[in-house]
């Protein structure tokens, strides 16, 4: 909401001017100036705890140190409203887990205003802006930085920003000032930045160009394409170079740490690449394949050192008087899983889906060849006019020393219902 507060600078002033421009010419709003819609969602999920990995080891040494939820029931109500050129999305959630704990929360997904000037459009407020062409990974999603490959799709939470867009039938230009009120924020998804996107359609090919300058991460350049090669085949690719990238790094040394040993640090000269293809048959079978390289993820040598440190901590835990300290350090080791958007640098993703009337069935596998880890998902969905039902299962497997085998959970299942109104 702070992004909408009028001030001497930033998008708040822009929104105030936009609102005055809408409201002054019209004292009374016509009935069709206002519209709304909504979604009610319910998600029942269950996860199986992993018997290995640092979370399980810490729990064995000190029961209750890590609070893990095995099953939960979430109910969400999402409301979208539009008054002329003012758009808003609000979500409320109630949740209860197997531990008996329950809580409710609410958040603002979007609240922004548009000023339509023909081919030009000015926007300000909290808004979702998602870029790039990939499915499993999007290197050039430099504003939203949306989580990919989630079990079920949910509306993202927008970023405070001001944007200027220019559109024609074949071309588009966008300039975005994101997090204008943030100064010297060390987290890459919160830093103040300027970003631009260029789009050009050329026959069956869509071309994209991206640039970004962040207060901490400095400059990055990117490009992408999507080529509809035939009625059945689509090819796409994305490339990005970053002058600096933020990453959680371990700074605790080889022995016991007295405080949380993971801190934000900078990587220099980071590159990311994605190549993908999509084949759709006449009987609605779809085959999807993507490979991506993420230079901001932890290297295989980083993970080897991490595994070795876990082993040292288990040895220390057997010494008298060091059990609690070792358990705490093992709990901290789980921070490595959130160091970057990908666990590994090299990733291969494959997906098959089949649409048959109202039913959609899908199987996908994310394979990480550096250690052989796999994340496999199976899902089925039924879509009606207003109701949508989903169910699925996700498995984490591979060699015993694979990183995915060290995660707190080994597999999860879910059932979800969605009613649109």
């Amino acid at each position: 909401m702070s992004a909408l507060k009028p001030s001497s600078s930033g998008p708040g002033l822009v929104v105030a001017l936009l609102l005055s421009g809408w409201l002054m010419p019209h004292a009374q709003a016509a009935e069709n100036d206002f519209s709304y819609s909504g979604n009610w969602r319910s998600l029942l999920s269950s996860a199986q705890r992993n018997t290995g990995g640092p979370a399980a080891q810490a729990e064995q040494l000190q029961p209750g140190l890590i609070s893990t939820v095995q099953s939960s029931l979430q109910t969400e109500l999402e409301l979208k409203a539009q008054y002329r050129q003012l758009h808003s999305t609000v979500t409320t959630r109630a949740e209860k887990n197997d531990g008996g704990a329950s809580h409710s929360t609410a958040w603002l997904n979007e609240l922004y205003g548009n000023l339509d000037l023909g081919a030009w459009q000015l926007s300000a407020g909290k808004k979702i802006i998602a870029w790039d062409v990939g499915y499993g990974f999007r290197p050039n999603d430099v504003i939203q930085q949306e989580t990919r490959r989630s079990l079920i799709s949910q509306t993202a939470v927008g970023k405070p920003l001001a944007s200027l867009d220019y559109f024609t039938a074949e071309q588009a230009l966008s300039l975005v000032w994101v997090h204008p009120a943030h100064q010297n924020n060390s987290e890459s998804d919160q830093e103040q930045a300027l970003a631009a996107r260029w789009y050009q359609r050329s026959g069956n090919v869509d071309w994209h160009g991206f640039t970004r300058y962040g207060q901490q991460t400095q400059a990055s350049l990117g490009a992408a394409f999507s080529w509809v090669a035939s009625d059945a085949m689509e090819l796409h690719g994305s490339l990005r170079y970053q002058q600096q990238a933020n990453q959680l790094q371990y700074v605790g040394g080889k022995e016991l740490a007295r405080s949380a040993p993971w801190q934000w640090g900078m990587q220099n000269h980071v590159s990311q690449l994605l190549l993908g293809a999509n084949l759709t048959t006449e009987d609605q079978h779809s085959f999807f394949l993507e490979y991506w390289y993420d230079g901001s993820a932890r290297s295989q040598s980083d993970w080897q050192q991490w595994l070795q440190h876990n082993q040292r901590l288990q040895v220390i835990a057997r010494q008298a008087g060091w059990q609690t300290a070792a358990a705490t350090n093992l709990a901290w080791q789980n921070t490595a899983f959130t160091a970057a958007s990908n666990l590994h640098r090299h990733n291969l993703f494959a997906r098959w889906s089949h649409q048959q009337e109202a039913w959609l069935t899908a199987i996908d596998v994310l394979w990480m060849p550096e250690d052989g880890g796999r994340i496999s998902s199976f899902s089925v969905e039924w879509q009606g006019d207003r109701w949508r039902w989903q169910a699925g299962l996700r498995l984490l497997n591979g060699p015993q020393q694979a990183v995915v085998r060290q995660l707190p959970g080994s597999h999860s299942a879910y059932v979800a219902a969605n009613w649109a109104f």
Side-chain angles (χ1 to χ4, degrees):
M1 294 294 291
S2 59
L4 299 180
K5 187 182 298 182
S7 61
S8 58
S9 62
L13 179 59
V14 179
V15 170
L17 293 174
L18 293 178
L19 289 173
S20 65
W22 301 324
L23 299 178
M24 288 177 61
H26 303 279
Q28 299 292 329
E31 183 177 348
N32 59 4
D33 284 341
F34 178 78
S35 62
Y36 73 93
S37 63
N39 279 279
W40 172 87
R41 296 186 290 262
S42 186
L43 171 65
L44 175 63
S45 61
S46 177
Q48 179 65 43
R49 291 179 183 175
N50 191 357
T51 57
Q57 293 157 4
E59 184 68 16
Q60 292 168 6
L61 292 170
Q62 189 175 347
L65 178 62
I66 298 179
S67 176
T68 56
V69 174
Q70 288 186 276
S71 62
S72 66
L73 176 62
Q74 296 179 3
T75 301
E76 291 184 355
L77 179 62
E78 178 185 290
L79 296 174
K80 296 178 180 286
Q82 178 179 349
Y83 173 70
R84 297 185 183 174
Q85 301 300 318
L86 184 64
H87 305 256
S88 66
T89 304
V90 179
T91 303
T92 63
R93 174 190 290 173
E95 180 176 0
K96 186 174 183 179
N97 60 46
D98 55 358
S102 61
H103 69 276
S104 300
T105 185
W107 61 89
L108 184 67
N109 300 83
E110 290 188 299
L111 180 58
Y112 66 93
N114 282 339
L115 184 59
D116 193 345
L117 303 172
W120 293 89
Q121 187 175 85
L122 178 65
S123 300
K126 189 174 187 180
K127 186 178 182 181
I128 299 170
I129 296 182
W131 288 346
D132 217 353
V133 297
Y135 179 87
F137 178 51
R138 289 183 171 178
N140 289 299
D141 190 13
V142 298
I143 296 175
Q144 194 59 44
Q145 299 168 350
E146 182 182 10
T147 301
R148 309 296 299 172
R149 308 181 311 279
S150 58
L151 286 174
I152 62 172
S153 60
Q154 293 180 304
T155 304
V157 178
K159 305 289 186 179
L161 56 83
S163 65
L164 180 64
D165 300 278
Y166 173 76
F167 298 96
T168 68
E170 303 291 331
Q171 191 178 68
L173 294 169
S174 299
L175 178 64
V176 182
W177 180 19
V178 61
H179 289 296
H182 286 199
Q183 297 288 333
N184 300 317
N185 195 300
S186 61
E187 298 186 28
S188 60
D189 64 342
Q190 299 289 324
E191 71 169 342
Q192 184 175 159
L194 286 174
R197 170 182 173 265
W198 164 81
Y199 164 81
Q200 176 70 54
R201 173 175 294 176
S202 179
N204 293 332
V205 184
D206 293 340
W207 300 99
H208 306 259
F210 309 91
T211 183
R212 183 182 188 272
Y213 188 88
Q215 194 172 33
Q216 303 294 327
T217 55
Q218 300 183 10
S220 74
L221 291 173
F225 77 92
S226 176
W227 174 34
V228 181
S230 68
D231 292 341
M233 175 70 73
E234 182 269 349
L235 304 173
H236 58 273
S238 184
L239 175 67
R240 185 186 181 197
Y241 168 78
Q242 298 173 256
Q243 192 172 0
Q244 290 188 323
N246 240 332
Q247 184 195 66
L248 278 172
Q249 300 174 353
Y250 183 79
V251 295
K254 294 185 178 182
E255 302 303 324
L256 289 174
R258 296 185 178 182
S259 59
W262 293 87
Q263 297 179 7
W264 286 102
M266 288 292 180
Q267 279 184 283
N268 295 322
H269 309 297
V270 174
S271 60
Q272 296 169 316
L273 168 71
L274 175 137
L275 293 171
N278 183 23
L279 174 67
T280 303
T281 65
E282 292 183 359
D283 52 354
Q284 297 301 301
H285 287 271
S286 179
F287 301 91
F288 201 90
L289 184 66
E290 282 187 337
Y291 161 79
W292 64 83
Y293 171 81
D294 182 5
S296 69
R298 291 172 58 80
S299 67
Q300 186 61 14
S301 63
D302 290 335
W303 285 118
Q304 289 296 333
Q305 294 173 15
W306 180 83
L307 288 167
Q308 292 168 6
H309 188 55
N310 290 349
Q311 295 171 356
R312 286 194 296 268
L313 292 173
Q314 293 178 65
V315 173
I316 293 173
R318 291 195 287 268
Q319 301 176 19
W322 293 103
Q323 182 172 320
T324 300
T328 302
N329 275 254
L330 281 165
W332 282 332
Q333 287 293 86
N334 289 275
T335 309
F337 302 134
T338 60
S341 59
N342 289 292
L343 290 175
H344 284 286
R345 295 188 173 183
H346 295 276
N347 302 269
L348 187 63
F349 178 78
R351 174 182 169 88
W352 164 84
S353 63
H354 181 220
Q355 182 80 53
Q356 187 173 18
E357 297 180 348
W359 291 92
L360 175 66
T361 307
I363 300 174
D364 63 57
V365 178
L366 175 63
W367 178 52
M368 290 152 279
E370 290 173 277
D371 65 4
R374 300 185 303 276
I375 302 176
S376 305
S377 302
F378 310 85
S379 64
V380 61
E381 176 181 325
W382 180 87
Q383 176 71 63
D385 291 336
R386 293 184 177 271
W387 281 97
R388 181 174 65 187
W389 293 86
Q390 298 169 274
L393 176 67
R394 175 163 288 181
L395 305 175
L396 281 63
N397 44 35
Q400 190 62 42
Q401 293 299 304
V403 173
V404 295
R405 295 291 299 275
Q406 313 304 313
L407 291 167
S410 61
H411 64 264
S412 57
Y414 69 93
V415 176
N418 185 95
W419 177 59
F421 59 90

